Amino acid sequence: ASEERERSKLGGVPIISRNIPIDIKIPTESSESHLRNNNDTRKGMIRKRFDITIWEMEKPSELIQAWWTFDESERQATGDPFGTVMWPGSILASMEMMRQHYIRDFSQSYMSEQHETSSKPPFKNATVLILGAGTGVEAQTAALLGAKKVVATDINQFTLRLLDYGAKRMVESYQNVFGKSMSGVVEAHYFDIFSETPLPESDIIIAADVLYNPELAAQVGRRIYEAISKNDTIPKLIVTDSQKFHGTDFLVGVKELKELSSLLRERGLEELQWEMRQLSQVRGSGVLVDEDQTYDVDVRMICWGWDIQ
């Protein structure tokens, strides 16, 4: 059956809802080491699912095509428009956020029964920073996982309005489910990663599908270096990239990341590395065409720091 989608207007611009199921299965009993490997199909599995509803610009093609014709100063003044629609990296990031949270949630319950200690579910009461938050898939996921504050940043003002609109609708939908209001948990903020402004402090950093040119990718890499090397508390990290454009692997060729690798080795911590995941039957905006598209996509991901106490 086709998805029931709502329509509205935001500042006179037509917008449309999109439901995104974030669906994972995890073992119900085991140690954290087993859960991380997640190989044993004989263990009981439990399904966890959030239905996230975000809002997109209904016809983004004209805006995006116009943006390509802008000179550099006009582009900087408006902020890129790609966050006005959902991208598949946000789905994988949200799935991994849920997985990292719930394996520790179940592990904590299991360990407490055995009178052992375990790390707490990482999103509970956490401050989460999202770089290039777009329509807000990961922001809503973090809120639903129990984050205390979600600082969702972007450079495009209309994208931030879409994100805020969706987050407020989420609060209305879920406030009775959790027995507490999530009002104000998600904060939409303008933030330019090329500015001199330090990253807001956070326990967890998410950056999904923001590596769409080499300069931007390199700057994301430098910001990750900043977050890991210059803070007293080391944040947990998820980066996803479904586009995989040439020259956007910031682990290669960014001086600060080579320094970071040396620093992590000195501290006895794992180095950052990509892993590949496949998403099947993703349904999303056609971007430059009006009709939705359904496709399979390989997404690369960095998932780092989740075992650091």
Side-chain angles (χ1 to χ4, degrees):
S2 61
E3 178 190 343
E4 294 256 341
R5 304 181 71 182
E6 297 179 64
R7 286 175 168 80
S8 187
K9 286 192 174 181
L10 198 55
V13 178
I15 61 174
I16 188 167
S17 69
R18 182 180 300 282
N19 180 259
I20 301 164
I22 309 296
D23 203 343
I24 63 167
K25 289 181 181 178
I26 39 183
T28 54
E29 306 175 24
S30 191
S31 67
E32 287 186 36
S33 61
H34 171 78
L35 288 164
R36 284 195 298 277
N37 295 329
N38 199 8
N39 294 325
D40 190 349
T41 55
R42 293 171 297 176
K43 295 289 181 184
M45 302 292 283
I46 191 165
R47 183 183 183 191
K48 284 287 184 180
R49 171 170 169 150
F50 290 155
D51 285 294
I52 305 291
T53 300
I54 52 92
W55 288 78
E56 302 176 313
M57 183 178 285
E58 185 165 4
K59 296 184 183 296
S61 58
E62 288 184 15
L63 175 66
I64 291 172
Q65 286 170 339
W67 189 83
W68 286 117
T69 69
F70 292 169
D71 63 30
E72 191 58 35
S73 62
E74 289 176 308
R75 288 186 181 186
Q76 288 183 351
T78 59
D80 75 63
F82 301 110
T84 57
V85 295
M86 182 278 299
W87 294 86
S90 65
I91 298 176
L92 179 59
S94 296
M95 291 172 67
E96 190 63 22
M97 290 160 68
M98 289 179 68
R99 194 179 82 88
Q100 293 294 340
H101 186 82
Y102 283 118
I103 61 174
R104 286 163 180 80
D105 192 21
F106 286 126
S107 181
Q108 188 177 50
S109 300
Y110 178 77
M111 293 294 190
S112 63
E113 288 173 10
Q114 310 302 314
H115 307 291
E116 299 176 38
T117 58
S118 171
S119 57
K120 70 180 179 66
F123 284 89
K124 187 175 182 180
N125 295 322
T127 297
V128 181
L129 171 63
I130 303 176
L131 300 176
T135 55
V137 181
E138 317 94 290
Q140 291 192 36
T141 300
L144 292 172
L145 289 172
K148 177 176 63 179
K149 182 163 78 169
V150 181
V151 182
T153 70
D154 209 283
I155 198 172
N156 183 285
Q157 294 290 355
F158 189 74
T159 298
L160 289 168
R161 291 178 66 190
L162 281 171
L163 187 154
D164 187 58
Y165 186 83
K168 286 175 176 169
R169 296 284 290 260
M170 174 203 67
V171 169
E172 295 169 9
S173 299
Y174 277 96
Q175 62 182 355
N176 295 327
V177 177
F178 289 92
K180 64 173 187 176
S181 173
M182 289 186 290
S183 178
V185 170
V186 177
E187 302 175 0
H189 289 279
Y190 175 89
F191 184 78
D192 181 358
I193 68 166
F194 286 96
S195 71
E196 298 295 320
T197 308
L199 287 177
E201 287 195 16
S202 62
D203 304 301
I204 297 166
I205 297 176
I206 311 293
D209 270 344
V210 293
L211 311 179
Y212 39 82
N213 66 57
E215 296 76 23
L216 182 55
Q219 187 63 14
V220 170
R222 293 184 192 103
R223 288 296 196 168
I224 288 171
Y225 169 78
E226 172 193 334
I228 295 175
S229 67
K230 297 182 180 178
N231 288 331
D232 294 334
T233 303
I234 299 177
K236 298 164 174 37
L237 178 69
I238 293 175
V239 180
T240 62
D241 180 30
S242 68
Q243 306 304 302
K244 304 183 292 294
F245 291 127
H246 178 72
T248 58
D249 181 355
F250 58 72
L251 297 184
V252 178
V254 176
K255 176 175 66 73
E256 289 86 348
L257 269 295
K258 292 177 181 175
E259 293 176 17
L260 182 60
S261 289
S262 299
L263 181 66
L264 293 175
R265 283 195 296 269
E266 287 171 15
R267 294 182 182 178
L269 299 173
E270 64 173 325
E271 295 179 50
L272 275 62
Q273 60 183 4
W274 295 107
E275 56 185 287
M276 294 300 297
R277 300 281 184 87
Q278 185 181 68
L279 294 177
S280 300
Q281 296 296 293
V282 175
R283 186 167 181 83
S285 167
V287 185
L288 293 178
V289 294
D290 289 339
E291 295 80 20
D292 273 2
Q293 306 292 308
T294 301
Y295 51 90
D296 298 340
V297 60
D298 291 322
V299 185
R300 60 183 174 182
M301 175 174 70
I302 294 170
C303 184
W304 183 89
W306 296 86
D307 297 315
I308 299 173
Q309 300 301 310

